[in-house]
Amino acid sequence: MTALTITADRTRFLRLVLAADAVVTGGNGLVYLAFAAPVSTLLGPDAALLRGIGIFLLVYGAAVGLVAARRSINLAAVKAAIALNVVWTLGSIAAVVTGVADFTTIGAIWAIAQALVVGVFAELQIMGLRKTRD
């Protein structure tokens, strides 16, 4: 299957949103990885889990950054980023509601706030994708 790509000035907004997602996600991953023990104390989840999440977020952020930086935007990659952002949003909310991550009160607030930010990234990426088709 050949991936569809878009090249034009119509991708400016989408590129900006993808780049912002990459920076925020990568920064969050760095914090989780480098400061897992104190973040664990503050938020609740085990430091080893936070390190694993940190690695995932660094890899994800780098991948999204590469999608944003390429000369042509790979639509399948953008759709994958949107899907992963939706899954992250729903998973974060589920983790708080079910108590599976043993969040502290601050951790639960952080997880919901983070879910909202990631959900906004997904929505902005959807809007950016639509702008490429106008």
Side-chain angles (χ1 to χ4, degrees), residues 14-15 17-23 25 58-70 73 77 80-82 84-85 125:
L14 180 57
R15 287 178 190 282
V17 173
L18 289 168
D21 187 0
V23 169
T25 301
L58 283 171
V59 171
Y60 176 80
V64 172
L66 287 173
V67 171
R70 295 199 42 118
I73 295 280
I82 292 167
L84 285 170
N85 281 342
Q125 288 161 354

Side-chain angles (χ1 to χ4, degrees), residues 12-122:
R12 185 175 303 180
F13 178 77
L14 180 57
R15 287 178 190 282
L16 179 63
V17 173
L18 289 168
D21 187 0
V23 169
V24 170
T25 301
N28 201 24
L30 278 174
V31 169
Y32 285 176
L33 193 56
F35 304 103
V39 171
S40 174
T41 300
L42 180 65
L43 301 182
D46 183 69
L49 175 62
L50 291 175
R51 283 186 197 94
I53 292 170
I55 291 168
F56 169 78
L57 292 176
L58 283 171
V59 171
Y60 176 80
V64 172
L66 287 173
V67 171
R70 295 199 42 118
R71 191 171 69 82
S72 60
I73 295 280
N74 183 310
L75 296 179
V78 173
K79 289 176 183 178
I82 292 167
L84 285 170
N85 281 342
V86 170
V87 168
W88 181 274
T89 299
L90 296 175
S92 295
I93 293 167
V96 171
V97 171
T98 63
V100 70
D102 294 323
F103 286 115
T104 62
T105 300
I106 292 171
I109 292 167
W110 173 254
I112 295 296
Q114 190 177 43
L116 291 172
V117 169
V118 174
V120 167
F121 277 134

